[in-house]
Amino acid sequence: MASPKTTEAIVAHCEALFGDLDFTAARRWKDAEPGRKVIGYMPIYVPREIIHAGGMLPLGILGGGDNIEVIHGDAYYQSYICRIPRSTIELAITKRLDFVDGMLFPAICDVIRNLSGMWKLMRPEAYVRYFDVPQNFRDDLGGEYYINELRELIAGLEGVAGRKIPDDDIRRSIAVYNDNRRLVQRVYELRAKTPWKAPTSEVYLLLRAGMVLPVEDHSRLLEDYLATCEARDRPMRDNCRIVLQGTFCEQPPLSLIKAIELSGCYIVDDDFMLVTRWLLDDVAVDGDPIANLSRAFLHASAATAAKYEPDPAQKGAFLIETVRKRAAEGVIFASPSFCDPALLDRPMLAKALSRENIPYISFKYAENSGQMQPIREQAGTFADSIKLWSEA
Amino acid sequence: MRCFIGIDLGSTTTKAVLLDEDGGMLGRGITNSRSNYQTATTVAKLEAMISARLTLFSRALAQDGTGIADVGAFMAEIERHFRLEQFLDQLDDLERTGAAVIDGERFAGREDAAREALGLIFDRLRGEAPAIYAPGAERKSDFFRDIAGSRYMHIAEDVAKEAGVAFDMLLNIYDKSIIGVENRPPAGAMGERFKRAIDRVLGETSRKLDREALDAAMKSAFGIDIEEANIVGTGYGRVTLPFPKEQIRSEILCHGLGAHVLYPKTRTVLDIGGQDTKAIQIDKDGIVENFQMNDRCAAGCGRYLGYIADEMNIGVHELGPLAMKATKSVRINSTCTVFAGAELRDRLALGEKREDILAGLHRAIILRAMSIISRSGGIENEFTWTGGVANNEAAVKALRILVKENYGDVTINIDPASIYTGALGAATFALREANAKGAQA
Amino acid sequence: MTTKPEKPAVVKEPSMLKQKAMIARNYDKLTSAPETGKKVVSTYVPGNLNELIMCFDMLNNLPEINAIQNGLRKQSGNMIREAEKMGHSEDVCSYVKADIGAMARGAIAPNGKPMPPPDLLLLSYTGCFTFLKWFELLRDEWGCETVMLQVPYDGDGKVTDNMRDYVVKQLKEEVIPAMERISGVKFDIDRLRENLKHSAAAEDDFVWVLQSAMNKPSPIDAYFGGVFYIGPIFTAFRGTEDAVDYYKLLRQEIEERIAQGKGPITPEGEMGEEKYRLVVEGPPNWTHFRDFWKMFYDEGAVVVASTYTKVGGVFDFGFRHDPENPLESLADYCLGCYTNRNLPDRVAMIENYMEAYQADGLLINSIKSCNSFSAGQLLMMREIERRTGKPAAFIETDLVDPRYFSAANIRTRLESYFQMIEQKRRPAGAPTPVAA
């Protein structure tokens, strides 16, 4: 695939991928060679390296966004359950996911967990796995459990791929994903340094493209974006710098991200698509690749609401460090309505921020939220108050 | 003759249906529910009885050689005049009640002025009554309170000025009188009113009518003794229905059976009411197999349209026609009543046209209903839609599109008289159960 | 689940009196912990390790039970509002908010005395992610020590060696050392074996009680009555002789009811004719527990099996605590709790109940607070309808948030449902000629 060479063209390409609820790009990839397989996964983290090593395409499923009419999906869920599972079911029922050969449901909350069982009932022929991860971070305890789980996952994926997935292939895939992680980090650093050049509405689309493209293509896209973006001449505004928190699963509509930016906030870090940044450093390439993936998970992974924090003193520390590292002036908690992990975690994170005198606001959204006026008002007031506060 | 009655005690209106032994519709009646369910039941039953007598009368006319070719049109004339007669009777009652109010209250020397003003008001009310019931005249409501009330206010304002009495006083008299009048059946014999109605028809018609034959038909229609063989109640207020528990059926069962009676091949019934939306799956006999209702949240119910109409400052009946003018449908993602106004203003601020937004809103409501249908098991066969929202052409359009998109070509019945579906089901239960008992005996 | 609704029941059977006394004694022990020096462990009903906790002479305090107590006493509403004022979302679990709100108001036990803060939070988040956040929140408030026991979810419907080994190893290397340290008592595996023997004995009689509902008429209501019967075995009494005695007593009472052909006891005395036999999925509502129950027994509806009575352990498919394999059987117990099972398993269990208990239908009480139960229930309902051909109905309430109990709405659905069952099996449902 030839990559577009201007920032605008790159963003337009990403936006087209983002809006395509039929996943045409992934379908095309699959149809290009007989025997190719696609493995869907939901937020927040799966080791995509293993899928990749099996010659398969990892496909990130993040719900249907605000451009899908949910009819049958609503028939499966009560009104007090978030949107992402219902639009995901709608995608399945409307056959938009019929080309997906397997689905992984990470351990994130009870809703996504139960969706794994629903998938088993609805698609008995597909490979469906609830991907459990350790909440104990000792190598000889949680690590041992995790390594065995990963081995089970590999065995299952070998079944779908119809071939063995040797360690060497996994090592190679780890290296490919290390590249991708570094590039994503560079984009995040660029945005934090010059957010007027790399607005979040673009960075977001760039990351979304990584959910549906082969990782190599995505890495090229990231490189191109970095190359074209730095040369851009866009005016810097007197915006405040904020970290967006709580968006790790159900996605806000793109218009919400734009509304926050338009109201005077530069988003300088976020928890969108953590799968791209879950592992904080390079994963070691030499040695047992499964043990390496496990160590990275246990000792160098992001903090999020679905992950237990064994040390009470460290609760909120990851967020505070992000605020410091990105020189952010405040935090916007944007949580999907009815999102148990985000909403239960928020009071503790808010408390930690208060101790550090970091201002924050919070609101809720749904992937199909239509009213941006309240968001603009809240984010705008927040930006103004931060400016006043810093001038005082 | 034995008849079977179904009463549907709704939150706003109470409906009664009378069936004969063969399940044929004898009559139906409707009234507003008021705070007193007992009265609402009595009045609805009485209205149904009137309609039953009209039915019997028309059956008699069809049999006897009265030489009337278009019995239907003739009966419509009779009914129109009957309604006028009844209206006049109730006006008399209201005037008498008002006069009693004046006597009973402390009007401190203004009694005579009040009496005189009242007399003037009622003379004018009676004077304009025939126009209200003239052929082709549109009435916003068929309830006495609504018609008499609005005209009374109007006339009383003029009379107050002319006679130099306080409008508030006249208003007060009305307020104190109307509840009593509304809560008792119209005085006087029904048969007498029919006779007067026939006289009026004879007076203004160009038809050649045989008075004797008419009298004979009427005699036979009124000579039939209507016996209440069994009665079944349903509806919102069913817990307070004035009859034993065995004679009460749930709204959903009655609704399903009513739809089956209207459209025997129906397998899926949708009812969108003011407060709730129900999807009902029925079997070949009209027995409910599955049902789903909207949850706690009233999103997508009729009430939502009310909010939108309020927000746009137009009548709820104007929404549909306006939406039909749309050239496209704006996607509306939330049917949350709380956010209805905000969503609307947001879209208008974005430069969307009112009619296009409205088209989107109608689609959004139907989408909610489609989800509830899907939850109940979807549509496999003939489909019937009832409830007030079914009168809205834009909603009908959206529904036809969405049903086709999701379930292909299925027969869709949309019934204008759907407001009686629950009562019809209840009456059918009354009939079926009486027959079952009879079979056992 | 271990308390009586606030108005005393008309009929108090000896087993009920015994349970009441057991609960009162336990609350007295808890509230007098500051004086007696006993250490308090907080943990959850699913994956409750009472046998192990007792090995360290520690007391077991279950926060869900406290929330239920407050729900039954109609105090939870204010506590929830209190927590919401503190910044907790209206969207999240009402048990958590009732607990946090109660703490903010100075937690008082049902005996009127202050509830001491726990010395250890045993975070066994079996079958529910909210548990994880709940104890993080409590830890944040109390500042007390927390030990995590991760119980992997049975995503594939089978307990693997890896899962079991992981739980056992956590018990050995994390949970037991923490308990030893805090209590100052050395772990004695023989003491655990002894406790597990008691558990297994009580579990035998408990299962007999649950299965007594296969009788026609059923001598028990396995949901509204069931929540009382699960009291001892799901809470601070499993592994005690008290619990063994309780279930013996209960079994005798029920044997007598069966001999006399009696149905269940309700708060208003003996129940009338059994008209409908139901299986119920989902927890009950606690704020309107009696009103809710009345909607059933007034109509002659008896619940013959429920999934909620499996939330603290599934014993009716053969599992028993095993003194021969103490830690492994604790692991298997946790792994097998109802909400730790995947949806296909849950559907299979309900399908089994529908047949084994000759139920007329399935009723799902969907709880706003509890996504672990609720997410997917509409699909479960379809599956059961499809597999059994029996009708199902769906109602929505909440655990302890009184704002989510709409009596009129629920009554409408229940009445329609009962009449639907009735119409379907009655010849009067057959058509008579009707001219349209």
Side-chain angles (χ1 to χ4, degrees):
Chain A
M1 184 187 62
S3 293
K5 287 298 180 196
T6 66
T7 316
E8 287 67 29
I10 294 166
V11 173
H13 174 54
C14 293
E15 187 153 16
L17 290 170
F18 165 71
D20 178 11
L21 291 175
D22 291 315
F23 303 100
T24 312
R27 283 174 192 272
R28 255 188 226 139
W29 178 89
K30 182 174 172 163
D31 293 341
E33 274 179 39
R36 277 187 168 179
K37 298 287 159 84
V38 176
I39 304 291
Y41 63 91
M42 294 206 62
I44 40 178
Y45 171 75
V46 296
R48 295 185 293 178
E49 291 84 347
I50 296 173
I51 302 167
H52 183 264
M56 301 180 284
L57 177 71
L59 178 74
I61 308 284
L62 295 167
D66 62 349
N67 214 21
I68 183 172
E69 278 180 336
V70 172
I71 295 174
H72 303 291
D74 265 351
Y76 289 87
Y77 285 104
Q78 304 87 325
S79 58
Y80 52 76
I81 288 175
C82 58
R83 284 277 308 186
I84 184 169
R86 63 187 80 220
S87 60
T88 302
I89 292 254
E90 189 78 21
L91 289 174
I93 288 182
T94 51
K95 304 207 182 302
R96 289 165 163 119
L97 296 177
D98 58 354
F99 70 105
V100 175
D101 303 284
M103 277 293 282
L104 301 181
F105 296 88
I108 178 167
C109 72
D110 296 322
V111 172
I112 299 296
R113 185 198 71 183
N114 285 9
L115 184 56
S116 74
M118 293 170 72
W119 220 269
K120 279 179 190 281
L121 287 166
M122 295 169 83
R123 298 276 306 270
E125 79 290 354
Y127 173 71
V128 177
R129 184 170 176 88
Y130 172 70
F131 179 65
D132 212 348
V133 294
Q135 302 283 10
N136 174 296
F137 304 98
R138 279 169 50 182
D139 284 296
D140 63 340
L141 195 44
E144 196 178 290
Y145 165 71
Y146 188 48
I147 285 172
N148 288 327
E149 287 295 300
L150 288 177
R151 294 211 185 282
E152 268 186 41
L153 173 69
I154 291 170
L157 289 174
E158 284 174 343
V160 182
R163 67 169 172 91
K164 283 277 164 202
I165 304 179
D167 281 0
D168 269 343
D169 288 1
I170 300 177
R171 283 190 200 97
R172 262 193 296 280
S173 295
I174 286 175
V176 171
Y177 273 93
N178 279 342
D179 281 346
N180 190 263
R181 273 187 282 270
R182 279 196 294 267
L183 286 162
V184 170
Q185 288 299 351
R186 277 182 55 201
V187 170
Y188 267 57
E189 277 154 25
L190 169 75
R191 179 183 62 173
K193 210 171 100 198
T194 52
W196 54 94
K197 286 192 181 177
T200 298
S201 53
E202 290 181 10
V203 171
Y204 176 78
L205 289 171
L206 205 58
L207 249 59
R208 282 295 295 252
M211 300 295 102
V212 298
L213 290 178
V215 60
E216 297 83 357
D217 293 352
H218 184 237
S219 290
R220 252 200 318 280
L221 210 56
L222 292 168
E223 277 169 0
D224 291 346
Y225 183 79
L226 283 163
T228 58
C229 195
E230 290 194 296
R232 255 172 151 184
D233 183 24
R234 298 183 88 192
M236 177 184 153
R237 290 180 196 282
D238 182 25
N239 282 3
C240 74
R241 300 165 61 87
I242 62 103
V243 171
L244 190 64
Q245 179 76 20
T247 58
F248 50 82
C249 184
E250 180 175 323
Q251 300 295 291
L254 190 58
S255 55
L256 190 144
I257 297 171
K258 288 179 178 166
I260 292 175
E261 294 192 302
L262 283 171
S263 62
C265 297
Y266 282 135
I267 300 169
V268 293
D269 211 321
D270 56 58
D271 54 359
F272 288 129
M273 287 161 275
L274 283 176
V275 67
T276 62
R277 301 175 323 286
W278 180 257
L279 304 181
L280 301 173
D281 307 317
D282 274 3
V283 179
V285 176
D286 299 329
D288 179 353
I290 301 306
N292 289 341
L293 282 170
S294 170
R295 269 195 292 276
F297 184 96
L298 297 175
H299 308 302
S301 58
T304 189
K307 187 172 152 190
Y308 178 56
E309 175 50 70
D311 179 1
Q314 288 300 306
K315 188 74 201 174
F318 187 83
L319 176 59
I320 290 164
E321 198 202 314
T322 305
V323 170
R324 300 266 182 265
K325 187 173 71 184
R326 302 297 192 204
E329 297 160 287
V331 171
I332 292 183
F333 289 106
S335 324
S337 291
F338 306 107
C339 175
D340 281 338
L343 292 169
L344 285 162
D345 214 37
R346 194 183 64 195
M348 290 181 279
L349 296 181
K351 206 167 148 184
L353 292 178
S354 297
R355 275 198 296 267
E356 299 291 323
N357 290 317
I358 299 168
Y360 63 87
I361 53 163
S362 43
F363 53 74
K364 291 188 290 187
Y365 67 84
E367 62 180 11
N368 65 338
S369 290
Q371 302 108 30
M372 290 306 143
Q373 189 52 34
I375 307 288
R376 282 194 295 271
E377 268 169 35
Q378 288 179 74
T381 310
F382 186 53
D384 292 346
S385 72
I386 283 177
K387 273 180 235 160
L388 284 172
W389 184 78
S390 62
E391 281 160 15
Chain B
M1 73 189 297
R2 295 166 77 224
C3 81
F4 302 87
I5 304 177
I7 304 281
D8 179 0
L9 201 43
S11 56
T12 50
T13 55
T14 296
K15 284 77 66 176
V17 162
L18 257 68
L19 296 181
D20 63 22
E21 280 171 289
D22 301 322
M25 173 80 84
L26 265 181
R28 59 194 195 191
I30 183 168
T31 183
N32 41 354
S33 285
R34 313 172 173 89
S35 53
N36 186 335
Y37 288 136
Q38 175 80 57
T39 307
T41 305
T42 310
V43 174
K45 241 165 76 178
L46 185 79
E47 287 288 328
M49 205 58 93
I50 291 166
S51 132
R53 291 294 175 194
L54 284 166
T55 305
L56 292 173
F57 187 39
S58 73
R59 284 184 191 173
L61 287 179
Q63 279 171 10
D64 295 348
T66 45
I68 302 170
D70 52 344
V71 174
F74 178 69
M75 286 309 298
E77 278 182 56
I78 297 277
E79 182 169 0
R80 192 162 53 75
H81 287 294
F82 177 84
R83 295 281 164 207
L84 172 60
E85 285 300 329
Q86 181 162 299
F87 181 71
L88 289 170
D89 282 348
Q90 283 185 289
L91 276 184
D92 290 346
D93 187 5
L94 187 61
E95 186 175 14
R96 275 194 305 275
T97 311
V101 167
I102 296 171
D103 292 341
E105 300 268 330
R106 291 183 298 271
F107 273 77
R110 289 175 296 151
E111 291 88 348
D112 288 343
R115 259 183 227 113
E116 199 183 325
L118 203 66
L120 270 171
I121 294 171
F122 278 92
D123 281 349
R124 291 190 196 173
L125 274 170
R126 271 187 289 267
E128 66 176 30
I132 297 175
Y133 288 92
E138 268 192 43
R139 291 180 298 277
K140 279 195 176 162
S141 162
D142 276 326
F143 299 146
F144 176 71
R145 184 197 187 106
D146 297 340
I147 305 172
S150 72
R151 294 310 305 155
Y152 181 97
M153 298 304 154
H154 199 76
I155 295 169
E157 241 183 291
D158 296 343
V159 169
K161 273 184 217 138
E162 293 162 22
V165 294
F167 174 66
D168 281 358
M169 182 175 75
L170 298 175
L171 194 64
N172 189 354
I173 294 168
Y174 173 82
D175 285 344
K176 289 208 163 99
S177 313
I178 185 66
I179 297 170
V181 174
E182 184 181 44
N183 283 345
R184 60 181 162 253
M190 195 194 296
E192 286 309 309
R193 271 198 286 279
F194 268 110
K195 275 211 176 97
R196 292 205 302 271
I198 291 169
D199 288 341
R200 279 182 186 270
V201 173
L202 287 173
E204 71 178 33
T205 189
S206 54
R207 294 170 194 275
K208 278 183 64 188
L209 291 169
D210 178 349
R211 178 76 213 215
E212 261 176 49
L214 280 176
D215 281 348
M218 213 189 104
K219 212 169 170 188
S220 93
F222 277 78
I224 296 170
D225 179 36
I226 298 182
E227 175 210 347
E228 289 183 19
N230 195 13
I231 179 164
V232 164
T234 187
Y236 187 79
R238 68 194 177 286
V239 264
T240 47
L241 270 174
F243 25 89
K245 199 177 161 187
E246 302 76 59
Q247 282 166 252
I248 299 175
R249 290 288 169 280
S250 96
E251 305 160 66
I252 289 164
L253 260 73
C254 290
H255 216 93
L257 186 55
H260 166 79
V261 173
L262 292 168
Y263 303 98
K265 283 184 183 157
T266 288
R267 288 293 180 274
T268 306
V269 185
L270 171 69
D271 179 69
I272 308 183
Q275 304 285 357
D276 59 25
T277 299
K278 305 188 259 280
I280 308 169
Q281 305 285 350
I282 53 175
D283 69 9
K284 61 179 186 3
D285 302 322
I287 299 305
V288 175
E289 298 212 296
N290 198 330
F291 65 92
Q292 291 291 328
M293 293 164 75
N294 59 304
D295 43 41
R296 213 176 144 270
C297 163
C301 299
R303 171 64 63 86
Y304 175 70
L305 284 176
Y307 281 110
I308 295 297
D310 287 351
E311 192 65 39
M312 299 184 90
N313 214 1
I314 58 175
V316 74
H317 300 291
E318 297 170 65
L319 289 174
L322 198 54
M324 291 301 281
K325 291 183 187 143
T327 49
K328 62 168 186 168
S329 171
V330 172
R331 189 189 298 284
I332 301 290
N333 283 325
S334 162
T335 44
C336 177
T337 44
V338 180
F339 289 123
E343 177 112 36
L344 189 66
R345 284 191 297 273
D346 233 37
R347 299 288 169 179
L348 286 170
L350 288 171
E352 301 283 5
K353 279 196 266 173
R354 259 186 1 160
E355 51 266 36
D356 295 345
I357 299 171
L358 276 179
L361 287 168
H362 282 88
R363 186 173 169 93
I365 286 186
I366 300 301
L367 275 172
R368 284 284 303 169
M370 293 302 291
S371 289
I372 294 167
I373 291 171
S374 173
R375 196 182 272 196
S376 76
I379 302 172
E380 280 177 20
N381 220 314
E382 201 166 312
F383 169 77
T384 297
W385 182 18
T386 64
V389 178
N391 285 317
N392 178 318
E393 52 187 320
V396 170
K397 185 181 166 195
L399 179 114
R400 287 192 186 280
I401 293 169
L402 278 163
V403 167
K404 194 173 163 92
E405 277 174 14
N406 285 279
Y407 300 105
D409 285 311
V410 292
T411 308
I412 300 175
N413 310 305
I414 295 171
D415 198 281
S418 61
I419 198 160
Y420 290 101
T421 311
L424 175 60
T428 309
F429 270 124
L431 170 64
R432 280 189 183 182
E433 268 146 37
N435 285 350
K437 263 187 211 140
Q440 272 169 17
Chain C
M1 83 183 68
T2 56
T3 192
K4 314 289 175 288
E6 66 285 5
K7 286 174 224 151
V10 173
V11 189
K12 280 244 187 277
E13 299 210 306
S15 66
M16 294 171 89
L17 296 169
K18 178 170 175 58
Q19 182 174 172
K20 203 175 173 184
M22 284 159 70
I23 292 164
R25 271 203 304 278
N26 193 53
Y27 274 116
D28 287 341
K29 276 193 210 164
L30 282 167
T31 53
S32 60
E35 293 94 65
T36 60
K38 294 252 186 202
K39 301 295 180 189
V40 176
V41 178
S42 271
T43 195
Y44 300 109
V45 167
N48 164 26
L49 300 179
N50 197 52
E51 300 91 338
L52 188 66
I53 292 168
M54 288 195 301
C55 290
F56 301 91
D57 297 324
M58 293 198 280
L59 304 172
N60 187 353
N61 181 22
L62 300 132
E64 301 115 295
I65 304 301
N66 300 333
I68 291 170
Q69 294 274 7
N70 287 324
L72 289 167
R73 285 153 205 266
K74 301 205 185 287
Q75 291 170 354
S76 52
N78 288 332
M79 293 166 175
I80 289 165
R81 274 188 287 278
E82 183 83 34
E84 289 177 358
K85 268 191 264 167
M86 293 162 67
H88 292 272
S89 169
E90 63 191 56
D91 290 357
V92 301
C93 173
S94 59
Y95 274 170
V96 179
K97 286 183 288 186
D99 193 28
I100 286 171
M103 260 169 60
R105 301 169 145 229
I108 300 294
N111 62 8
K113 295 177 186 160
M115 186 72 96
D119 299 286
L120 177 69
L121 297 169
L122 171 56
L123 206 184
S124 154
Y125 82 102
T126 305
C128 166
F129 270 96
T130 294
F131 285 154
L132 174 64
K133 296 285 111 185
W134 189 348
F135 271 5
E136 275 191 353
L137 285 160
L138 287 199
R139 181 181 69 180
D140 201 41
E141 290 295 327
W142 294 118
C144 62
E145 187 160 338
T146 306
V147 63
M148 157 69 78
L149 173 67
Q150 182 184 7
V151 175
Y153 181 67
D154 300 354
D156 284 336
K158 57 176 187 287
V159 173
T160 63
D161 289 345
N162 189 39
M163 293 174 178
R164 187 182 297 105
D165 293 347
Y166 181 39
V167 176
V168 170
K169 202 166 173 189
Q170 289 178 85
L171 288 173
K172 280 185 187 159
E173 298 186 15
E174 300 271 338
V175 177
I176 290 172
M179 288 183 170
E180 283 182 326
R181 188 163 28 77
I182 285 161
S183 66
V185 176
K186 188 98 192 81
F187 176 57
D188 173 2
I189 199 156
D190 290 326
R191 202 171 159 188
L192 178 60
R193 288 183 209 277
E194 203 53 35
N195 293 343
L196 293 176
K197 248 181 242 165
H198 291 141
S199 297
E203 284 155 11
D204 282 340
D205 282 333
F206 171 60
V207 168
W208 185 92
V209 167
L210 291 178
Q211 293 180 338
S212 73
M214 289 182 189
N215 285 284
K216 277 189 177 179
S218 169
I220 61 163
D221 185 290
Y223 186 56
F224 297 104
V227 301
F228 298 99
Y229 307 145
I230 60 179
I233 210 148
F234 280 8
T235 65
F237 308 101
R238 202 180 58 233
T240 65
E241 279 181 53
D242 248 356
V244 177
D245 294 344
Y246 167 81
Y247 286 104
K248 270 208 191 89
L249 197 58
L250 178 62
R251 179 174 175 160
Q252 284 163 9
E253 287 165 8
I254 292 169
E255 276 170 346
E256 217 163 287
R257 301 189 70 77
I258 296 172
Q260 294 170 359
K262 282 183 174 171
I265 298 182
T266 75
E268 294 180 282
E270 299 286 336
M271 191 177 140
E273 184 202 348
E274 173 184 296
K275 287 199 214 147
Y276 314 103
R277 294 169 66 85
L278 304 178
V279 173
V280 172
E281 146 79 12
N285 161 273
W286 301 107
T287 54
H288 298 73
F289 185 81
R290 280 221 177 167
D291 302 340
F292 193 29
W293 190 355
K294 190 170 162 59
M295 291 181 200
F296 288 74
Y297 63 71
D298 276 355
E299 299 288 333
V302 179
V303 182
V304 290
S306 67
T307 55
Y308 182 65
T309 52
K310 316 295 159 23
V311 79
V314 175
F315 301 106
D316 55 346
F317 291 92
F319 169 79
R320 292 290 178 277
H321 280 92
D322 177 10
E324 298 305 312
N325 297 292
L327 295 180
E328 292 73 13
S329 88
L330 284 179
D332 282 338
Y333 156 74
C334 292
L335 287 160
C337 284
Y338 180 69
T339 48
N340 204 52
R341 292 170 179 245
N342 74 358
L343 257 61
D345 251 21
R346 284 170 61 184
V347 169
M349 255 173 89
I350 294 171
E351 185 187 2
N352 173 292
Y353 290 155
M354 297 282 288
E355 304 300 337
Y357 290 79
Q358 297 179 64
D360 297 305
L362 168 70
L363 178 79
I364 295 181
N365 183 35
S366 182
I367 291 290
K368 175 201 173 253
S369 274
C370 189
N371 286 341
S372 177
F373 260 105
S374 302
Q377 279 175 330
L378 284 156
L379 177 63
M380 291 171 69
M381 179 173 79
R382 285 187 185 201
E383 278 293 309
I384 295 296
E385 282 178 328
R386 191 178 62 77
R387 293 184 193 184
T388 65
K390 288 175 181 170
F394 201 81
I395 53 176
E396 295 177 44
T397 68
D398 188 47
L399 298 167
V400 291
D401 192 334
R403 292 170 295 187
Y404 293 88
F405 191 90
S406 161
N409 198 314
I410 294 163
R411 192 173 284 116
T412 298
R413 289 177 203 218
L414 284 179
E415 282 177 10
S416 299
Y417 181 52
F418 296 146
Q419 289 176 18
M420 182 170 115
I421 295 174
E422 179 74 20
Q423 289 293 335
K424 283 182 83 137
R425 67 184 174 199
R426 219 157 53 132
T432 48
V434 173

